């Protein structure tokens, strides 16, 4: 959007982008997504491929701002959406997720894992 | 970069005697910002000064239709609170920290308190975040021990509170740093509640944290953009160094 940086919401679709952290170690990638106002894990849909993750979460209580930002627009948010490319290939079938205190954590084991080898 | 670039403008006559000055500057988990904002609201503190500089981003904040300086100072009786609602750029933190310390010295502060967070990777599994304290004064460290607040014995502190600690040491003014375990990159009202609880032990604030926790989700949502910009700036300041081991003292 012309001079501004990438914005974290879309008023037309009522989507808001959650804050996300990605950690990577030798064996796995951990993604944590902050989603206040998401009440239950059943409201979250996660799709994982070898190289990307997409998340959509419904907000049960519509988040309503009467005058959002400098635009002073009335805006309602219904859901969070986030799609991200992963820094390494992962095994989607071995992925695990948990949702606690409004934070979604996804653990993605890497396809190419490292092993410790003995020195002969 | 000269100190003259930062101005602290008092908009009213500030009458205090050895005040406690608390700082809520954007840092890990926006802990200080959230905590100080809650203290200002809870105590109904009055705006008494603002901080301005040509090196700050060209931003003015509108509240109820009125332009406001993003860095403001509030007062209630013998307590002053410094609060920023914009992310601090790496180039502004040196002169800003120096100005805050010099101004605190002018006010003959009894204690300059920095409220903040320390990012922990397992924050999701922590119900009540622990608070770590640090100070340049032995009697404050003794008080920390008496109050069963863990003392930060070794390690690095990076960012605005590091500079406030450094300049406080230089100017010999008592500085207390209270850091709660926090989400590194998400606004953390739970950690803010922990630092307020710890501060309550030092200063009779009588600030309840229940209302803060009740507004937790709302705060997390509305502070997202500030958190994102703060995280970007902290990265530029080398915040990741806090996770490194310091050289053994020899």
């Amino acid at each position: 959007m012309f001079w501004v940086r990438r914005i974290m919401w879309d008023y037309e679709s009522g989507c808001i982008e959650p804050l996300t952290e990605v950690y990577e170690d030798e064996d796995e990638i951990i993604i944590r997504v902050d989603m206040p106002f998401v009440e239950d894990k059943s409201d979250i849909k996660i799709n994982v491929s070898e190289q990307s993750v997409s998340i959509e979460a419904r907000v049960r209580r519509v988040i309503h701002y009467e005058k959002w930002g400098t635009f002073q627009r009335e805006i309602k948010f219904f859901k969070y959406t986030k799609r991200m490319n992963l820094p390494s290939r992962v095994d989607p079938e071995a992925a695990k997720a948990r949702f606690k205190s409004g934070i979604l954590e996804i653990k993605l084991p890497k396809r190419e894992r490292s092993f410790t080898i003995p020195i002969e | 970069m000269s100190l003259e670039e930062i101005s602290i403008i008092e908009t009213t006559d500030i009458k205090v005697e050895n005040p406690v000055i608390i700082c809520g500057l954007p840092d890990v988990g926006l802990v200080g910002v959230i905590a100080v904002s809650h203290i200002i609201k809870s105590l109904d503190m009055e705006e008494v000064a603002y901080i301005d500089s040509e090196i700050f981003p060209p931003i003015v904040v509108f509240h109820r239709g009125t332009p406001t300086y993003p860095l403001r100072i509030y007062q209630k009786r013998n307590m002053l609170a410094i609060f920023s609602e914009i992310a601090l750029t790496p180039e502004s933190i040196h002169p800003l920290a120096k100005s805050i310390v010099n101004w605190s010295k002018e006010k003959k502060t009894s204690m300059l308190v920095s409220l903040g967070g320390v990012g922990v990777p397992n924050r999701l599994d922590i119900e009540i975040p622990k608070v770590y304290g640090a100070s340049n004064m032995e009697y404050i460290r003794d008080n920390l021990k008496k109050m069963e607040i863990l003392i930060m014995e070794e390690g690095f502190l990076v960012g605005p509170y590091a500079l406030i600690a450094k300049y406080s040491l230089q100017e010999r003014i008592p500085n207390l740093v209270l850091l709660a375990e926090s989400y590194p990159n998400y606004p953390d009202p739970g950690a803010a509640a922990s630092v307020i609880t710890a501060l309550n032990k030092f200063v009779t604030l009588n600030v309840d944290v229940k209302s803060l926790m009740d507004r937790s989700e709302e705060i997390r949502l509305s502070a997202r953009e500030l958190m994102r910009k703060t995280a970007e700036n902290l990265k530029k300041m080398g915040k990741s160094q806090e996770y490194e081991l310091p050289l053994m003292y020899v």
Side-chain angles (χ1 to χ4, degrees), chain A residues 4-19:
Chain A
V4 297
R5 62 193 301 156
R6 187 174 59 85
I7 52 175
M8 295 178 77
W9 47 271
D10 179 354
Y11 68 88
E12 281 173 353
S13 60
C15 286
I16 193 159
E17 185 189 332
L19 287 172

Side-chain angles (χ1 to χ4, degrees), chain B residues 211-224:
Chain B
S211 58
L212 173 65
M213 293 313 294
D214 289 345
R215 288 173 42 240
S216 172
E217 290 193 291
E218 189 192 322
I219 293 166
R220 278 163 59 199
L221 188 72
S222 59
R224 287 166 350 117

Side-chain angles (χ1 to χ4, degrees), chain A residues 2 9 12 15-16 25 32 35-36 45 59-60 67 71 78-79 82-84 91 100 102 108 110:
Chain A
F2 41 103
W9 47 271
E12 281 173 353
C15 286
I16 193 159
D25 66 22
R32 293 198 189 102
M35 296 192 289
K45 203 160 79 182
V59 179
R60 286 193 195 177
K67 288 174 182 175
F71 295 94
F78 306 94
K79 61 182 177 182
K82 179 76 184 176
R83 188 183 184 285
M84 67 194 95
D91 178 1
K100 190 183 171 191
L108 304 152
K110 287 185 182 174

Side-chain angles (χ1 to χ4, degrees), chain A residues 6 23 28 33 50 58 63 78-79:
Chain A
R6 187 174 59 85
Y23 296 95
E28 65 179 357
V33 191
E50 283 193 356
R58 184 167 69 100
I63 304 162
F78 306 94
K79 61 182 177 182

Side-chain angles (χ1 to χ4, degrees), chain A residues 5-6 8 12 19-21 28-29 38 44 51 57 68 81 85 94 102 118:
Chain A
R5 62 193 301 156
R6 187 174 59 85
M8 295 178 77
E12 281 173 353
L19 287 172
T20 308
E21 290 174 338
E28 65 179 357
I29 294 169
V38 172
I44 306 167
Q51 287 176 295
W68 177 271
T81 54
N85 293 322

Side-chain angles (χ1 to χ4, degrees), chain A residues 45-110:
Chain A
K45 203 160 79 182
I46 309 165
N47 277 309
V48 182
S49 74
E50 283 193 356
Q51 287 176 295
S52 70
V53 171
S54 60
I55 300 154
E56 197 175 297
R58 184 167 69 100
V59 179
R60 286 193 195 177
R61 200 189 91 184
V62 175
I63 304 162
H64 183 197
Y65 289 90
E66 281 184 10
K67 288 174 182 175
W68 177 271
T70 313
F71 295 94
Q72 300 290 289
R73 276 183 197 274
E74 183 185 13
I75 189 164
K76 289 177 181 173
F77 295 116
F78 306 94
K79 61 182 177 182
Y80 289 99
T81 54
K82 179 76 184 176
R83 188 183 184 285
M84 67 194 95
N85 293 322
L86 298 171
S88 310
R89 282 180 181 272
V90 297
D91 178 1
E93 285 171 300
K96 285 180 181 171
R98 65 170 172 154
F99 182 63
K100 190 183 171 191
S101 309
I103 291 178
L104 173 70
E105 182 180 74
I106 309 169
K107 290 190 174 181
L108 304 152
K110 287 185 182 174

